[in-house]
Amino acid sequence: VFQKWVNREISNFDYLIQLNTMAGRTYNDLAQYPVFPWILRDYISEELDLNNPAVFRDLSKPVGVVNEKNAKTVKEKYISFFRYENFEDPLGMIDKFHYGTHYSNAAGVMHYLIRVEPFTTLHIQLQSGRFDCADRQFHSIPATWQALMDNPNDVKELIPEFFYFPEFLENQNGFNLGQLQMSKEVVNDVVLPKWAHSPEDFIYKHRKALESEYVSAHLHEWIDLIFGYKQRGPAAVEALNVFY
């Protein structure tokens, strides 16, 4: 599979799906759901220029430190993590970590897929029989990216649906997802980047970005973090990539 990918005989999307499968990730388990990278950082331009390297996320860094400003906080947490996370660890049994949450978990999958059954019902069950408050819902792609940039504790990567399934961006079932506290905006369809004119257009351009020359040249850096040698040990510490 690796050699086929290197030879450009299979797409980046197909390679990532096969890597997830080999790693034991599956659509049948929300706790081990396939994980895909955030690949872009430009969600505000009118047009998306895939020939400009500046529109892409730095794939060599965990999403928690793609914003350089967060690196200092993340390093400090590793040095004295119990003070930051209020961890009681009198026996010294808990290994140090940079992030107290994870880049892929069941709640994160439900967060993205809240508008689509059976994930809607699963989300409601998780929230004790109701929708979570509107401000914590997945309501905007630009706002979600900005929250990742501002908060080193939010480290959610993406799910494969961002590259092929426009329906998850629409509230086709008309669920009452509430309204945002500050703006009073009703949460309905997901707010798209300016360069996307519809959910289908977003998926088309996002998939095109995944298969772009820039991502093809740098995807291995992200794979090292998630599936490769930077998952644990000294290389993970150096890459600010240690998870609780």
Side-chain angles (χ1 to χ4, degrees), residues 17 20-21 23-35 109:
I17 285 288
N20 273 283
T21 303
R25 291 184 168 274
T26 167
Y27 286 105
N28 299 322
D29 182 354
L30 291 182
Q32 289 293 334
Y33 207 76
V35 58
V109 176

Side-chain angles (χ1 to χ4, degrees), residues 172-192:
Q172 292 184 351
N173 293 314
F175 294 122
N176 179 6
L177 299 171
Q179 57 183 166
L180 305 178
Q181 282 180 331
M182 295 291 283
S183 66
K184 302 300 180 199
E185 182 188 342
V186 173
V187 176
N188 192 27
D189 294 346
V190 176
V191 177
L192 302 171

Side-chain angles (χ1 to χ4, degrees), residues 138-181:
F138 174 48
H139 66 274
S140 159
I141 293 172
T144 301
W145 175 254
Q146 194 54 50
L148 288 174
M149 291 301 94
D150 295 341
N151 180 7
N153 297 316
D154 189 352
V155 293
K156 281 190 296 293
E157 291 280 10
L158 298 183
I159 52 175
E161 282 82 353
F162 273 82
F163 299 93
Y164 67 82
F165 186 50
E167 288 79 4
F168 90 101
L169 298 167
E170 298 176 285
N171 187 14
Q172 292 184 351
N173 293 314
F175 294 122
N176 179 6
L177 299 171
Q179 57 183 166
L180 305 178
Q181 282 180 331

Side-chain angles (χ1 to χ4, degrees), residues 160-240:
E161 282 82 353
F162 273 82
F163 299 93
Y164 67 82
F165 186 50
E167 288 79 4
F168 90 101
L169 298 167
E170 298 176 285
N171 187 14
Q172 292 184 351
N173 293 314
F175 294 122
N176 179 6
L177 299 171
Q179 57 183 166
L180 305 178
Q181 282 180 331
M182 295 291 283
S183 66
K184 302 300 180 199
E185 182 188 342
V186 173
V187 176
N188 192 27
D189 294 346
V190 176
V191 177
L192 302 171
K194 287 182 181 175
W195 45 257
H197 308 301
S198 67
E200 291 77 13
D201 189 46
F202 170 79
I203 296 292
Y204 170 75
K205 287 173 179 168
H206 203 216
R207 182 70 170 262
K208 202 171 172 183
L210 179 64
E211 303 303 337
S212 69
E213 197 55 49
Y214 180 92
V215 174
S216 296
H218 293 276
L219 187 57
H220 66 281
E221 296 170 346
W222 182 83
I223 289 168
D224 286 341
L225 295 168
I226 306 297
F227 300 107
Y229 76 103
K230 291 183 179 177
Q231 285 179 82
R232 55 188 53 155
V237 176
E238 193 179 338
L240 305 181

